Amino acid sequence: MQIEVVKSKIHRVKVTGADLNYIGSITIDEDLMDAANIIRGEKVQIVNNNNGERLETYAIPGPRGSGELTLNGAAARKVAVGDVLILITYAWMHLEEAKGFNPALVFPNEETNLLN
């Protein structure tokens, strides 16, 4: 049996941009992606603490050390600059593997989105 478990979480990051005219995705500072073991193109669940929206898209890397967190395309309508988000990725694992798995949990600076 396999189950889906949390693979990584970036907790309480602020939206820095919303680009409706981009083709889709979420742009994430590549330092944050590395810290959370998120790769380019990986599916990301986005939870907006300000308005309760939940959506899924895929990650693309933004400039390192920029703190960038931009929702692109239609997802831009679900956020406002300054909204606080939680980003979550999941992975399928065999039950026994999942019992011992520890997700990557990242808690960046809440004002700058940078790693402390």
Side-chain angles (χ1 to χ4, degrees):
M1 171 176 33
Q2 288 195 330
I3 61 170
E4 190 173 22
V5 298
V6 172
K7 178 182 140 289
S8 58
K9 179 169 100 168
I10 302 175
H11 191 73
R12 295 188 61 83
V13 287
K14 284 190 180 176
V15 175
T16 62
D19 186 355
L20 185 62
N21 295 313
Y22 193 84
I23 299 176
S25 70
I26 181 170
T27 304
I28 305 169
D29 178 326
E30 196 166 5
D31 286 341
L32 292 175
M33 288 179 63
D34 287 349
N37 296 321
I38 297 172
I39 64 167
R40 177 190 306 264
E42 184 170 357
K43 183 166 78 169
V44 177
Q45 181 183 40
I46 300 163
V47 179
N48 187 326
N49 285 358
N50 290 78
N51 63 19
E53 290 282 354
R54 287 177 172 255
L55 62 118
E56 292 178 341
T57 189
Y58 61 93
I60 60 171
R64 288 187 182 280
S66 66
E68 181 176 356
L69 192 79
T70 301
L71 276 290
N72 302 303
R77 295 199 183 273
K78 303 290 188 177
V79 300
V81 172
D83 281 359
V84 175
L85 308 181
I86 298 171
L87 310 180
I88 307 165
T89 65
Y90 299 89
W92 286 95
M93 296 180 194
H94 289 285
L95 182 60
E96 289 307 312
E97 179 186 9
K99 287 179 181 179
F101 178 75
N102 292 313
L105 304 176
V106 179
F107 299 90
N109 180 295
E110 291 187 29
E111 294 302 314
T112 64
N113 291 345
L114 300 177
L115 299 171
N116 294 326

